[in-house]
């Protein structure tokens, strides 16, 4: 029996024997492509080739691509666990032709590998082809249908035609696409779902487990633009994809992908941790949980390794949802404490040989997963409280339905999986307004699509042969002459005509000294000028090998073929200082914190530098000071900075650091700090792959100061720092503050700290006295609180004390609530006051009411939005703030209504 490792290598070797070049997988987080959240197919890294933006280095390519399908058109998230063959993360075995071979060879070789090399029974295989689509004006793929019976032994009756949904492949809403031909396998009648699925259709593309797609052969010949129109590409391409997990299940004679050697080690470890057994059943909640967790931990390991850490937006939000979904299924196995991080080493054991990066970053991934699991444990408990409130409202309604707004809030705000909301509703004989939930989800997707504005430039330039810009001058001069070879606007690239004063446009020159945005460094700005015209460059971007200067004509007009002068803004000097300082910062962090520190991203701009790096906790003041000292020592030493281009293999032997996930060619530029010339690069203390602009020596940086160190996600820290003129301005501003404080406090700058310290101590003494006064029976807060108690509503033995206080502090109000709870024995207290337009709401419940389901934290969360605020707290005592004092009465009325409702049902 072939192992998954042998299947992967066998596939690659088969196509290498047919003159294909092996290309390693690109990262799951796409590089320089904001149209995709994650790599969802092997062709993603070749997109620029399909669009005609760059020429391919090889005509034939093979690889095994890491893929994640959890968003957009290709979203398998909710299917995982329910069957035995859907996954979020999977390996796509693929072969490509870049205008080399086409349909005949792709079909013949796929058949040869499956039937002759791997020995799959030809009689079990079916093929599908595209039937055409009238709305898009696309005919059926009769050519592929003929080829199947011509170059393979498959009979015509097992070649079926299907529509756009099944047999037309598109990467996303825009981009390369084309008809596809799929190979399906019949696993036999024992795998049919007929008995378990009512109204089941047994057949290819019928959703039956008996017929499984093995391999998709995509014939890319179109590009879909933002308007939804299809245009013929200038060349024809082949892009095939076969899921390793499904191939392994067939060749290892397993009924489920999860029973293969790609998953079983993970499943066995889950069993060890939870005490549950995996029974190999489909419709079994325990087995479903095993499948979900084993799938999702693979996704998390690869995605976090490649730079997608959990957060509240974009890719990070998707990763957080995957983790939370797995964590929720963990609770079905009795796992309420973090446990999934213990599965990361198992994933590394299974796949680390093929993808070494997960081995290198395993500790970091484990740290992130554990932190997120712990965080979600707290979030899930809060979400259950909100669900309970929504469920009680639904139980009182006629149709017994939890409204879609509540379900969406649970999903969007609390990360509560929708399937969990449905499951918990079903347990209470309730339904969920799925239609409204889907409507709100679609609105959210529309907002996300609208936010992807950066995709438009690439879209309008699709299938356009852009000129190559010679831009080596960016490293040596700040101005140069160049010739205009064309313009870019909303219609695309044009190499004729002229541009005048008006809207934004892009100018393309044959050569430039402008740096195009890349590697965290912002694009240069400046001017392009002639004798009678001036163009303000607001940003510089690169598409393939073409540099585009984006901006507006300030005066005159420009014509194609005209010779102009490109002048970079003086801001470049500040950018150089910040970029070189960023390299020094990474070196210093590794010296102080250890070699486990790895760059996660950076921003190098005019005003400051920002550096993101892996580290599990905040830097101590002493560590931060040491990092600053090390950088400043190198700045003071005025060490040489040397840039040299060399073969990538040679640079890696020298130990030059590369930003993980960045694209690098066979030759790379290495920035070496501390090397006087190219021959001495080995002696440099800092060596990094880098295409950015830098100082000639570290002394030009002119100083370094960390102004902020913070967490941006679990296991990832961010440092913001200043150099040069930005640092000078920072010190000038701080000096002015010191001078003003000295005048205000009537003391010298040297004595300022002592004076402020004395004031703080005096303030604490006064606050203590005020607090003591608040406890006195005769204080204003206590008097008002007693009056509220005297006239309060009684429900059974419980005093419902709700009212507005006059001028009090939060501490005084809290003391009043404690007093009321003691006096009343059983009390529900809600107090409110405003201080100069700022609303404070406080709630407190006695323990007997908490046992009946009343919780102060839940209550203030419900009423705080009425005063345009938010808050929370413990069941016994909670607090919220707001901005609308005129709505205090409405908030208190709502509190009274909710308490009455709770007590009536208790």
């Amino acid at each position: 029996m072939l192992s998954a490792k042998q299947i992967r290598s066998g596939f690659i070797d088969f196509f290498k024997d047919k003159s294909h070049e092996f290309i390693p997988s690109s990262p799951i987080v796409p590089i320089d492509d904001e149209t995709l959240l994650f790599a969802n197919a092997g062709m993603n890294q070749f997109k620029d080739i399909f669009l005609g933006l760059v020429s391919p280095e090889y005509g034939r390519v093979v690889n095994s691509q890491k893929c994640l399908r959890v968003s957009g058109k290709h979203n398998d998230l909710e299917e995982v666990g329910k069957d035995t063959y859907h996954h979020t993360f999977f390996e796509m075995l693929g072969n490509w032709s870049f205008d080399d071979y086409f349909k005949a060879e792709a079909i013949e070789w796929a058949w040869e590998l499956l039937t002759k090399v791997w020995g799959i029974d030809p009689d079990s295989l079916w093929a599908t082809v595209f039937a055409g689509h009238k709305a898009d004006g696309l005919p059926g793929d009769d050519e592929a249908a003929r080829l199947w019976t011509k170059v393979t032994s498959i009979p015509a009756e097992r070649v079926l035609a299907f529509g756009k949904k099944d047999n037309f492949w598109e990467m996303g809403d825009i981009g390369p696409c084309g008809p596809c031909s799929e190979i399906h396998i019949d696993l036999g009648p024992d795998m049919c779902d007929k008995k378990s699925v009512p109204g089941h259709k047994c057949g290819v593309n019928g959703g039956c487990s008996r017929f499984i797609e093995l391999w998709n052969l995509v014939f890319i010949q179109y590009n879909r633009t933002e308007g939804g129109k299809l245009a013929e590409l200038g060349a024809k391409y082949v892009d095939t994809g076969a899921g390793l997990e499904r191939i392994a299940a067939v060749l290892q004679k397993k009924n489920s992908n999860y029973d293969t050697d790609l998953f079983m080690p993970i499943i066995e470890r889950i069993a060890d941790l939870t005490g549950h057994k995996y029974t190999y059943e489909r419709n079994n909640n325990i087995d479903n949980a095993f499948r979900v967790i084993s799938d999702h931990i693979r996704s998390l390991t690869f995605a976090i390794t490649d730079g997608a850490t959990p957060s509240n937006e974009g890719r990070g939000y998707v990763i957080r949802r995957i983790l939370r979904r797995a964590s929720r299924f963990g609770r079905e196995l009795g796992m309420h404490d973090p446990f999934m991080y213990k599965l990361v080493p198992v994933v590394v054991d299974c796949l680390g040989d093929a993808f070494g990066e997960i081995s290198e970053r395993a500790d970091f991934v484990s740290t992130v997963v554990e932190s997120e699991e712990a965080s979600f444990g707290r979030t899930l408990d809060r979400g259950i409280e909100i669900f309970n409130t929504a469920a009680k409202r639904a139980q009182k309604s006629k149709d017994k339905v939890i409204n879609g707004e509540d379900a969406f809030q649970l999903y969007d705000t609390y990360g509560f999986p929708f399937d969990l909301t449905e499951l918990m509703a079903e347990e209470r004989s309730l339904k969920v307004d799925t239609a409204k939930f889907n409507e709100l989800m679609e609105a959210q997707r529309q907002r996300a699509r609208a936010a992807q504005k950066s995709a438009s430039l690439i879209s309008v330039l699709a299938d356009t042969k852009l000129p190559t810009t010679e831009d080596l001058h960016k490293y040596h001069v700040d101005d140069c002459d160049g010739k205009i070879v064309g313009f870019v606007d909303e219609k695309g690239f044009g190499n004729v005509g002229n541009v005048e004063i008006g809207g934004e446009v892009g100018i393309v020159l044959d050569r430039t000294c402008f740096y195009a945005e890349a590697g965290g460094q912002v694009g240069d700005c400046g001017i392009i000028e002639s004798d009678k015209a001036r163009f303000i460059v607001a940003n510089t971007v690169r598409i393939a090998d073409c540099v585009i200067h984006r901006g507006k004509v300030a005066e005159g007009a420009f014509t194609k073929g005209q010779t102009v002068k490109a002048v970079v803004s003086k801001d470049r000097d500040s950018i150089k200082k910040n970029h070189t300082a960023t390299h020094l910062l990474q070196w210093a962090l590794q010296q102080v914190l250890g070699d486990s520190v790895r760059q996660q991203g950076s921003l190098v701009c005019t005003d400051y530098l920002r550096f993101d790096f892996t580290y599990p906790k905040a830097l101590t003041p002493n560590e931060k000071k040491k990092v600053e000292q090390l950088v400043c020592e190198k700045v003071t030493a005025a060490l040489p900075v040397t840039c040299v281009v060399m073969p990538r293999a040679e640079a890696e032997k020298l130990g030059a650091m590369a930003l993980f996930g960045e694209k690098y060619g066979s030759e790379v530029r290495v920035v070496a700090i501390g090397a006087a010339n190219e021959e001495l690069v080995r002696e440099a203390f800092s060596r990094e792959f880098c295409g950015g602009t830098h100082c000639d020596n570290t002394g030009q940086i002119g100083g370094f100061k960390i102004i902020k160190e913070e967490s941006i996600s679990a296991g990832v820290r961010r440092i913001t720092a200043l150099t040069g003129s930005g640092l000078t301005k920072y010190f000038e501003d701080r000096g002015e503050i010191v001078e003003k404080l000295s005048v205000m406090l009537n003391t010298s700058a040297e004595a300022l700290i002592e004076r402020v310290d004395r004031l703080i101590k005096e303030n604490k003494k006064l606050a203590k006295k005020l607090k003591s006064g608040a406890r006195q029976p005769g204080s204003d807060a206590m008097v008002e609180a007693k009056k509220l108690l005297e006239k309060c509503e009684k429900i059974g033995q419980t005093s419902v004390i709700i009212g507005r206080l006059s001028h009090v502090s939060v501490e005084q109000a809290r003391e009043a609530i404690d007093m009321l709870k003691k006096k009343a024995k059983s009390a529900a207290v809600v107090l409110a006051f405003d201080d100069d337009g700022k609303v404070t709401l406080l709630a407190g419940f006695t323990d007997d009411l908490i046992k009946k389901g009343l919780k102060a934290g839940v209550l203030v969360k419900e009423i705080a939005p009425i005063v345009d605020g938010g808050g929370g707290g413990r069941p016994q005592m909670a607090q919220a703030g707001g901005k609308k004092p005129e709505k205090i009465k409405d908030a208190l009325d709502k509190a009274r209504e909710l308490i009455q409702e709770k007590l009536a049902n208790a």
Side-chain angles (χ1 to χ4, degrees):
M1 185 177 72
L2 292 176
S3 67
K5 184 177 179 180
Q6 291 171 320
I7 295 168
R8 183 192 299 112
S9 61
F11 182 93
I12 292 168
D13 290 342
F14 176 84
F15 283 100
K16 284 172 74 173
D17 288 343
K18 296 190 183 297
S19 303
H20 287 63
E21 184 71 20
F22 172 71
I23 302 294
S25 170
S26 65
I28 274 182
V29 177
I31 302 165
D32 298 330
D33 187 354
E34 292 304 317
T35 66
L36 276 178
L37 282 179
F38 301 101
N40 59 15
M43 63 83 66
N44 293 157
Q45 66 172 308
F46 307 119
K47 182 178 174 182
D48 285 351
I49 296 175
F50 295 136
L51 290 172
L53 298 175
V54 296
S55 299
E57 189 173 354
Y58 309 102
R60 302 178 178 187
V61 164
V62 62
N63 90 339
S64 181
Q65 172 66 41
K66 304 176 290 187
C67 295
L68 196 60
R69 290 189 175 176
V70 287
S71 59
K73 292 185 176 181
H74 306 286
N75 186 351
D76 292 337
L77 180 60
E78 300 301 335
E79 299 303 317
V80 172
K82 296 177 183 178
D83 58 34
T84 60
Y85 52 87
H86 273 101
H87 306 289
T88 53
F89 171 84
F90 62 97
E91 279 185 67
M92 183 73 86
L93 303 173
N95 58 289
W96 289 266
S97 164
F98 304 126
D99 209 22
D100 186 326
Y101 60 85
F102 202 42
K103 296 180 184 180
E105 294 88 343
I107 291 170
E108 182 179 1
W109 291 339
W111 189 262
E112 178 186 348
L113 179 57
L114 290 174
T115 62
K116 296 179 181 178
V117 177
W118 284 337
I120 295 176
D121 181 4
D123 292 337
S124 68
L125 298 178
W126 293 67
T128 66
V129 296
F130 181 50
H133 192 258
K134 287 185 178 180
D136 281 336
L138 295 172
D141 194 354
D142 296 334
E143 179 188 6
R146 287 193 301 270
L147 286 168
W148 272 110
T149 57
K150 179 180 178 182
V151 301
T152 79
S153 59
I154 194 169
E157 59 267 23
R158 292 214 307 275
V159 180
L160 310 176
F162 289 91
K164 183 178 176 181
K165 177 179 177 291
D166 295 304
N167 280 81
F168 193 85
W169 195 91
E170 299 189 72
M171 188 176 65
D173 292 331
I174 60 173
C177 53
C180 61
S181 193
E182 297 176 341
I183 303 172
H184 295 250
I185 185 168
D186 179 356
L187 298 175
D190 290 344
M191 293 298 291
C192 181
D193 297 325
K194 188 173 183 179
K195 293 181 181 179
S196 58
V197 181
H200 170 71
K201 177 186 176 183
C202 186
V204 173
N205 284 334
C208 179
S209 299
R210 173 178 173 174
F211 294 91
I212 300 294
E213 176 199 334
L214 283 185
W215 203 335
N216 190 7
L217 315 179
V218 182
F219 309 121
I220 296 178
Q221 56 196 88
Y222 303 105
N223 178 59
R224 191 177 292 279
T225 63
E226 278 194 332
K229 294 183 178 179
L230 290 172
E232 283 271 358
L233 290 171
K236 289 182 171 54
Y237 308 100
V238 170
D239 163 23
T240 87
L244 173 63
E245 292 76 9
R246 294 185 181 184
I247 296 288
V250 170
L251 297 183
Q252 293 177 10
K253 301 188 185 305
K254 303 294 184 182
N255 291 332
S256 163
N257 296 358
Y258 292 92
D259 300 346
T260 68
D261 58 348
L262 288 166
F263 288 92
M264 283 311 299
I266 305 171
I267 287 173
E268 288 166 359
R269 180 61 175 142
I270 296 170
D272 291 340
L273 292 170
T274 65
H276 287 273
K277 288 184 178 180
Y278 184 66
T279 62
Y280 301 90
E281 295 179 11
R282 272 192 63 181
N283 300 313
N284 177 304
N285 289 339
I286 297 298
D287 279 13
N288 288 354
F290 270 91
R291 286 190 286 269
V292 169
I293 295 165
S294 61
D295 170 88
H296 288 10
I297 194 61
R298 291 180 3 133
S299 294
L300 293 167
T301 300
F302 278 90
I304 294 170
T305 291
D306 285 2
T309 52
S311 67
N312 286 328
E313 57 185 26
R315 296 182 178 106
Y317 181 69
V318 176
I319 296 306
R320 175 163 283 168
R321 279 208 63 230
I322 294 172
L323 192 148
R324 290 181 170 186
R325 187 170 188 265
S327 182
R328 197 273 291 175
F329 274 92
R331 291 196 169 211
E332 294 193 9
L333 301 179
M335 303 303 289
H336 291 267
D337 294 324
F339 75 99
M340 287 189 298
Y341 71 97
K342 297 176 182 177
L343 301 174
V344 174
V346 189
V347 178
V348 172
D349 287 343
C350 290
L351 297 166
D353 287 344
F355 305 101
E357 61 272 16
I358 64 171
S359 300
E360 296 170 9
R361 310 199 80 191
D363 290 343
F364 168 64
V365 173
S366 296
T367 298
V368 172
V369 172
E370 182 180 12
S371 175
E372 272 294 307
E373 283 187 274
S375 173
F376 183 53
R378 298 186 291 271
T379 298
L380 195 59
D381 291 336
R382 290 197 297 272
I384 289 172
E385 290 179 2
I386 303 300
F387 172 84
N388 288 338
T389 301
K392 285 192 175 181
R393 278 199 295 268
Q395 284 168 336
K396 290 183 178 181
S397 66
K398 290 182 180 179
D399 51 8
K400 307 295 182 185
V401 174
I402 293 175
N403 66 60
E405 289 86 352
D406 284 338
F408 182 75
Q409 182 193 21
L410 281 164
Y411 170 88
D412 194 48
T413 304
Y414 296 97
F416 217 62
F418 181 66
D419 56 355
L420 177 58
T421 300
E422 287 188 305
L423 181 65
M424 291 175 64
E426 186 178 335
E427 290 170 353
R428 301 188 185 203
S429 300
L430 299 172
K431 295 181 179 180
V432 183
D433 186 350
T434 305
K436 184 62 178 179
F437 175 84
N438 289 335
E439 178 188 322
L440 294 169
M441 280 296 297
E442 182 57 30
Q444 186 186 67
R445 292 189 194 103
Q446 293 291 350
R447 289 192 295 271
R449 291 188 192 110
Q452 292 182 337
K453 296 177 182 177
S454 57
S456 58
L457 185 59
I458 293 177
S459 176
V460 300
L461 295 174
D463 202 28
T464 302
K465 187 66 177 177
L466 295 171
T468 297
T469 308
E470 194 275 285
D471 66 342
L472 290 176
H473 303 281
K474 65 191 176 189
Y475 296 126
H476 311 296
V477 297
D478 294 336
D479 62 80
C480 72
D481 292 337
K483 184 182 291 185
I484 296 176
V485 296
F487 307 100
V488 175
D489 58 18
E490 68 278 2
K491 296 178 182 178
F493 175 74
N495 56 12
V496 294
N498 61 358
V499 293
E500 301 175 345
I501 296 175
E504 183 178 321
V505 70
I507 291 182
V508 179
L509 306 176
D510 64 342
R511 62 176 185 162
T512 185
C513 55
F514 277 66
Y515 179 87
E517 181 179 344
Q521 180 175 328
V522 297
D524 281 334
C525 52
I527 61 171
I528 294 174
E529 59 185 359
S530 66
D531 291 339
K532 297 180 180 180
R534 187 162 57 95
F535 181 85
I536 307 298
V537 181
N539 190 21
T540 307
V541 298
R542 174 190 293 275
I543 295 182
D545 296 321
C546 180
V547 175
I548 302 171
H549 308 80
R550 303 183 75 172
K552 293 182 179 181
V553 179
E555 57 182 281
F558 292 90
T559 307
K560 190 259 182 182
Q562 182 179 5
T563 298
V564 294
K565 187 173 186 178
V567 183
V568 178
S569 165
K570 291 182 180 180
D571 288 342
R572 168 180 278 190
D573 289 337
S574 296
I575 295 172
K576 286 181 177 179
K577 293 172 183 178
N578 284 332
H579 203 155
T580 305
T582 301
H583 285 220
L584 292 177
L585 174 58
Q586 177 161 222
W587 166 80
L589 285 167
Q590 291 181 337
Q591 298 299 304
V592 175
L593 306 178
D595 291 338
S596 63
V597 168
R598 286 288 181 271
Q599 181 178 350
Q600 282 293 104
S602 66
L603 174 64
V604 178
C605 60
T606 304
D607 301 322
Y608 60 90
L609 67 91
R610 199 175 69 202
F611 186 76
D612 301 340
F613 59 98
T614 58
Y615 198 63
K617 57 186 179 181
L619 274 67
T620 65
N622 189 51
E623 287 170 336
K624 200 186 307 181
K625 184 177 180 181
K626 184 62 178 174
V627 169
E628 281 186 344
Q629 286 176 340
L630 287 173
V631 174
C632 289
E633 284 172 8
K634 297 301 183 184
V635 171
T636 304
L639 300 169
V641 179
T642 298
C643 303
V644 56
V645 176
M646 62 177 67
R648 178 176 177 175
E650 183 181 337
E652 289 171 342
K653 285 181 182 178
L654 286 173
M657 288 189 293
L659 174 59
F660 181 76
E662 190 61 87
K663 279 184 181 176
Y664 298 106
S666 55
E667 284 198 330
V668 295
R669 183 171 180 262
V670 174
V671 174
I673 304 178
N677 54 54
E678 294 184 10
E679 286 71 29
L680 299 176
V681 167
R682 187 179 296 276
E683 298 177 9
F685 67 88
S686 169
R687 295 181 294 271
E688 291 190 37
F689 289 26
C690 183
T693 56
H694 286 269
C695 300
D696 295 324
N697 75 76
T698 58
Q700 295 171 354
I701 295 172
F704 176 86
K705 175 68 178 175
I706 295 174
I707 60 170
K708 184 186 286 187
E709 192 272 334
E710 60 189 323
S711 169
I712 58 170
S713 65
V716 180
R717 310 294 302 176
R718 170 174 289 172
I719 280 178
T720 305
L722 300 173
T723 68
S725 59
L727 180 58
T728 301
K729 179 69 165 54
Y730 174 84
F731 284 135
E732 287 174 353
D733 291 344
R734 294 308 180 273
E736 190 175 322
I737 291 170
V738 170
E739 288 177 9
K740 287 180 178 179
L741 284 172
S742 296
V743 172
M744 290 171 63
L745 299 175
N746 194 25
T747 187
S748 65
E750 292 77 14
L752 198 56
I753 293 176
E754 182 183 345
R755 177 77 175 105
V756 171
D757 183 58
R758 190 162 65 247
L759 284 172
I760 290 172
K761 288 177 180 176
E762 291 172 358
N763 186 62
K764 284 182 178 178
K765 287 181 181 178
L766 289 171
K768 192 174 182 181
K769 287 182 180 179
L770 285 171
K771 185 176 180 180
S772 176
R775 294 193 186 99
Q776 301 306 313
S779 70
D780 290 343
M782 291 300 179
V783 170
E784 289 185 80
K786 284 181 179 178
K787 288 181 179 178
L788 289 173
L789 175 61
E790 289 170 2
K791 60 181 182 180
C792 76
E793 175 188 4
K794 294 278 284 187
I795 299 178
Q797 298 300 312
T798 299
S799 298
V800 181
I801 308 162
I802 297 175
R804 181 169 183 165
L805 301 178
S806 53
H807 302 292
V808 297
S809 67
V810 172
E811 187 59 40
Q812 288 172 329
R814 283 179 173 271
E815 294 284 353
I817 289 176
D818 287 339
M819 179 271 292
L820 291 170
K821 286 161 66 176
K822 286 179 183 177
K823 281 188 173 292
K825 307 301 183 185
S826 176
V829 186
V830 182
L831 302 178
F833 64 91
D834 77 280
D835 182 9
D836 196 22
K838 295 180 181 178
V839 179
T840 299
L841 301 171
L842 293 107
F845 295 144
T846 49
D847 290 342
D848 63 312
L849 301 185
I850 294 170
K851 290 176 183 177
K852 294 179 180 180
L854 281 81
K855 296 180 181 180
V858 174
L859 181 76
V860 298
K861 282 180 184 176
E862 293 243 11
I863 65 174
I866 297 172
V867 292
D868 193 18
R874 296 176 296 110
Q876 294 84 358
M877 178 81 78
Q879 178 180 331
K883 304 172 187 174
K884 293 183 177 180
E886 69 275 12
K887 293 287 186 178
I888 285 179
K889 183 180 182 303
D890 294 341
L892 293 177
D893 288 345
K894 182 64 175 177
R896 186 183 303 279
E897 177 189 327
L898 291 171
I899 291 169
Q900 289 171 340
E901 180 182 323
K902 288 276 188 181
L903 290 174
N905 294 326

